[in-house]
Amino acid sequence: MLCERHRHPFLTAAVLIICVWFSGCSGSSAPDPAVDNSTNSATTSGETEAEKCRNKLSGAMRRLEPERMDLHADPERAITGLNAWIASCARDEVEALKLDDAALALLNSNPRALAGRYTGVDATYIRDALLLRDLTAALTTRQPNTSESAEDRETARVVRIFDWVIRNVSLIPDDTQRPALSLFDVLLIGRGTADDRAWILAEMLRQQQIDAVLVRTTAPPADDGGVLDTAMSLIAVIQNDVGLLFDVVTGLPVVVGDDRDLLKPAPADVSVLKDHERWNDSTVEVIAQVAAFAPRMLVLQDRLAAEDAAILFEELTGGVSEIRPLRDRITSAGQLWTKDDISVWTYPEDRVIASHSRSEAQIQEYDQLMRPFDAPFERKVYEPESVEELTTVPEELSPEQRRLLAEERLMANFERITVSSEERFGKPSRRLLKARTQQVQGSIDSEVIQQMQQIRIASMEERIRVAVPALLQEQQGLPAMIVLDLPKLIREVNQSSTGDSMYWTALCQLDREEFGAAITTFSNYRRQYPDGKWKYPSLVHQSLALLKQDRTDDAIAALKEADQDDNPEQRRVRMMLQVLSK
């Protein structure tokens, strides 16, 4: 008989394991996907050396794409293809380029600026450049065509990028403790410090060939007043020898006078600093990682194919390329600073180095921080299979044989669930990571919103139902269906991801200028997560969406609700209320 030989093969294993079901899953995570270490070498014997080099470089760049570099992947492995390319195709060119003494002095002769090979830190730098290239291109493409002057359109482009950074990187409390994060990590999480905002803004503008620097003053701040009276640092965005001022702490452009418009601000020119007592002796810090000044990045930038093109190199003081030096571009803006006023801000380099050298405890903290991106946990659902639902069954079987076959299949499914926590509770799908990466690359396609909604629905599951074979029901007195609570770890991941996906859905709707839908989603978020981490950001963004609908009174009400001492962006809220109350 077809079924009799293996009639009860899983009974013993099922009975032994069923008692541990309620103790939770093993907690083990899926291994990182294997990194493709192959190089894209010659495809035909007639291929020229130049073609081989192009293919090697193209293959190496594929492994550095944001959607391909896994959060937990080894960046040193991701960069091996690029080092293979430079060794065989560009070594002499890199060795011929040297930084001058002025640049080396600004960089403190950092060996990472002089290296002829790429490192894991370079891998994340290039990955971030590719991501921000796509993001800024998307933002610029969506900028509406207007009849304004070219200068006004350029200002609008900068303001659009600045607004995106402020909207997508909410401030965390000053006392927040967390491991060092890379630029990409901060973007994914969507929460960071004012310094993180400055770093991201500068790197985004770099991809549009626009300079952004940190302007500092040592003059003590006033207790009250405008930004120029109270801030200790500002961002100067420089293009064509003109500079515009922004404040990443308040999330607002610096304005002077009474002409203030929250929806269409007019940033002040850096020349206003000349006439302000606190700022007429300011200094400037260049915002960039050390890799940006390394000759190897210039060689790579020049060799990239059109589809991979990105801004990777900055000419700091001159001598490496024919690009106008950044130092000259800074000193020409507003005629405020000399070369002696310029230094290189260490924050970006310190952060990225620290993120590549975490301790074991910090790695655990980082994994915990990134765990929501594992969501949702997905598993194959094994349904009871009746005699009538049997598929792929030989026609000659008798009704009894068919019944036994159905029971055998159900027993096999039951055994798989009992011996594997992944079969029982599912394994990380990382669909949220994929959707969020698409979002921070600038996608506003409706598919991203659909993915977020589907992830949220899938992550709301808190328990599972498991069908019990009839034989176990009879012999062990078990019910036909067992209901199991998901382990605490999975429930926590799901709960975090459902709130995140709802909030990020609202941000997508804002980017799509679906202001009514965004207002509804923000409100629903706070209704479901009244103490959620996005409570205050959702109120601020909702107020701006309400202003888009000319609902000023409702916008003021939302801002008053956000005017709380525990809101890290309370100063921004109060400045917005001050403008709207006039």
Side-chain angles (χ1 to χ4, degrees):
M1 300 287 286
L2 177 65
C3 301
E4 287 181 347
R5 191 165 47 142
H6 302 293
R7 187 171 178 178
H8 313 304
F10 309 115
L11 178 59
T12 302
V15 172
L16 288 174
I17 297 172
I18 196 169
C19 64
V20 300
W21 268 15
F22 297 93
S23 62
C25 66
S26 64
S28 60
S29 59
D32 289 332
V35 178
D36 179 10
N37 284 323
S38 62
T39 55
N40 192 0
S41 56
T43 56
T44 66
S45 57
E47 198 171 37
T48 66
E49 288 301 317
E51 290 169 336
K52 290 180 182 179
C53 286
R54 282 195 295 270
N55 287 335
K56 280 185 178 181
L57 181 55
S58 177
M61 293 300 293
R62 296 289 76 76
R63 289 190 284 276
L64 298 173
E65 292 173 345
E67 60 272 22
R68 188 162 180 179
M69 268 190 74
D70 187 88
L71 282 174
H72 302 285
D74 182 0
E76 295 292 345
R77 294 180 64 188
I79 210 73
T80 54
L82 207 54
N83 279 324
W85 165 77
I86 203 170
S88 58
C89 302
R91 176 180 293 170
D92 292 343
E93 188 174 349
V94 171
E95 291 178 350
L97 298 175
K98 304 294 182 183
L99 292 172
D100 66 9
D101 291 340
L104 289 173
L106 286 171
L107 299 172
N108 295 319
S109 297
N110 192 311
R112 288 185 290 279
L114 304 171
R117 289 174 56 83
Y118 299 98
T119 66
V121 172
D122 291 338
T124 55
Y125 172 72
I126 297 168
R127 185 269 314 277
D128 294 347
L130 296 177
L131 181 140
L132 298 181
R133 172 204 62 190
D134 294 343
L135 171 58
T136 54
L139 292 175
T140 301
T141 300
R142 295 199 295 267
Q143 183 174 338
N145 293 321
T146 64
S147 58
E148 299 172 323
S149 66
E151 181 178 343
D152 287 340
R153 287 196 296 272
E154 285 302 294
T155 298
R157 176 166 61 133
V158 172
V159 170
R160 189 179 185 90
I161 293 173
F162 174 79
D163 285 344
W164 190 95
V165 173
I166 301 305
R167 185 165 60 249
N168 284 272
V169 182
S170 298
L171 292 183
I172 57 177
D174 292 337
D175 59 354
T176 301
Q177 298 294 320
R178 69 181 189 186
L181 301 178
S182 70
L183 182 152
F184 183 52
D185 293 334
V186 174
L187 280 176
L188 280 180
I189 294 172
R191 304 176 76 227
T193 64
D195 287 344
D196 291 328
R197 282 179 168 180
W199 179 18
I200 292 169
L201 175 63
E203 295 292 355
M204 288 179 67
L205 291 172
R206 179 168 292 113
Q207 293 307 313
Q208 292 290 307
Q209 301 186 59
I210 301 173
D211 302 321
V213 296
L214 194 64
V215 184
R216 292 193 186 276
T217 180
T218 57
D223 294 332
D224 198 8
V227 171
L228 294 180
D229 301 310
T230 58
M232 294 302 296
S233 64
L234 299 171
I235 299 296
V237 176
I238 299 170
Q239 189 176 31
N240 300 323
D241 297 339
V242 175
L244 302 175
L245 293 175
F246 296 84
D247 180 23
V248 290
V249 175
T250 63
L252 297 169
V254 177
V255 296
V256 292
D258 296 326
D259 187 16
R260 298 166 184 259
D261 186 341
L262 293 177
L263 298 181
K264 194 178 179 181
D269 186 85
V270 295
S271 59
V272 302
L273 300 181
K274 288 182 178 179
D275 302 321
H276 198 286
E277 183 179 359
R278 294 187 65 237
W279 294 93
N280 56 21
D281 191 25
S282 57
T283 57
V284 173
E285 295 181 21
V286 175
I287 306 173
Q289 293 172 223
V290 170
F293 310 111
R296 63 184 180 278
M297 290 299 173
L298 173 63
V299 174
L300 176 58
Q301 177 178 290
D302 288 345
R303 296 285 191 92
L304 289 176
E307 62 269 21
D308 296 323
I311 305 299
L312 302 174
F313 176 75
E314 280 283 13
E315 180 66 76
L316 184 54
T317 57
V320 180
S321 71
E322 295 183 358
I323 300 171
R324 184 187 181 194
L326 177 58
R327 187 175 61 180
D328 294 351
R329 305 196 300 264
I330 294 171
T331 55
S332 296
Q335 302 295 316
L336 288 168
W337 307 291
T338 69
K339 65 180 183 180
D340 294 330
D341 296 321
I342 300 172
S343 60
V344 175
W345 191 31
T346 61
Y347 181 83
E349 186 72 4
D350 291 344
R351 290 294 86 193
V352 74
I353 294 299
S355 71
H356 279 257
S357 55
R358 300 186 186 103
S359 66
E360 286 298 323
Q362 290 171 335
I363 290 174
Q364 292 179 10
E365 292 176 13
Y366 175 80
D367 290 343
Q368 184 71 22
L369 193 62
M370 294 296 180
R371 190 160 284 156
F373 292 105
D374 287 340
F377 280 69
E378 296 181 337
R379 63 187 179 86
K380 183 176 180 179
V381 179
Y382 296 107
E383 298 291 350
E385 191 168 30
S386 67
V387 174
E388 293 76 15
E389 295 168 339
L390 281 175
T391 57
T392 63
V393 177
E395 296 180 358
E396 65 273 13
L397 291 184
S398 67
E400 177 62 14
Q401 289 173 324
R402 294 171 65 86
R403 185 188 69 79
L404 292 172
L405 180 59
E407 182 73 5
E408 179 180 351
R409 289 186 179 178
L410 182 56
M411 187 71 80
N413 293 338
F414 188 80
E415 190 273 347
R416 277 195 291 268
I417 293 173
T418 59
V419 300
S420 169
S421 62
E422 286 189 355
E423 295 283 353
R424 193 185 326 151
F425 299 118
K427 59 183 178 180
S429 68
R430 295 200 163 181
R431 285 166 53 198
L432 183 57
L433 175 60
K434 178 180 178 182
R436 179 62 173 160
T437 300
Q438 289 177 323
Q439 184 183 3
V440 298
Q441 277 186 285
S443 175
I444 60 171
D445 192 275
S446 60
E447 180 184 348
V448 175
I449 293 180
Q450 292 170 2
Q451 288 181 46
M452 292 287 188
Q453 292 172 338
Q454 291 168 3
I455 291 165
R456 182 170 176 272
I457 292 172
S459 297
M460 293 176 71
E461 186 180 43
E462 294 187 352
R463 56 186 57 87
I464 62 173
R465 294 163 59 87
V466 180
V468 179
L471 184 64
L472 293 180
Q473 296 178 45
E474 297 169 2
Q475 296 190 0
Q476 304 298 319
L478 297 174
M481 194 72 63
I482 295 177
V483 179
L484 299 175
D485 288 333
L486 291 175
K488 181 181 178 182
L489 172 63
I490 295 179
R491 293 200 307 272
E492 290 176 346
V493 169
N494 286 347
Q495 289 166 2
S496 180
S497 65
T498 53
D500 289 344
S501 58
M502 178 179 280
Y503 176 76
W504 291 330
T505 295
L507 293 188
C508 284
Q509 291 166 335
L510 282 184
D511 286 339
R512 291 168 60 87
E513 299 188 351
E514 297 172 352
F515 302 117
I519 290 168
T520 300
T521 306
F522 283 134
S523 297
N524 287 340
Y525 170 82
R526 293 193 304 278
R527 188 176 299 113
Q528 296 182 38
Y529 308 96
D531 297 317
K533 62 187 175 185
W534 304 114
K535 173 184 175 180
Y536 293 131
S538 71
L539 284 166
V540 175
H541 302 325
Q542 182 173 322
S543 71
L544 291 170
L546 289 165
L547 289 177
K548 289 286 188 178
Q549 295 185 332
D550 295 323
R551 297 166 59 184
T552 304
D553 290 343
D554 291 336
I556 291 174
L559 289 171
K560 286 183 177 179
E561 188 177 348
D563 186 9
Q564 304 295 329
D565 291 341
D566 62 339
N567 181 0
E569 301 191 53
Q570 185 183 41
R571 179 160 170 72
R572 180 188 188 192
V573 169
R574 291 187 171 179
M575 291 185 69
M576 294 173 68
L577 282 170
Q578 184 180 14
V579 172
L580 294 176
S581 299
K582 289 185 177 181

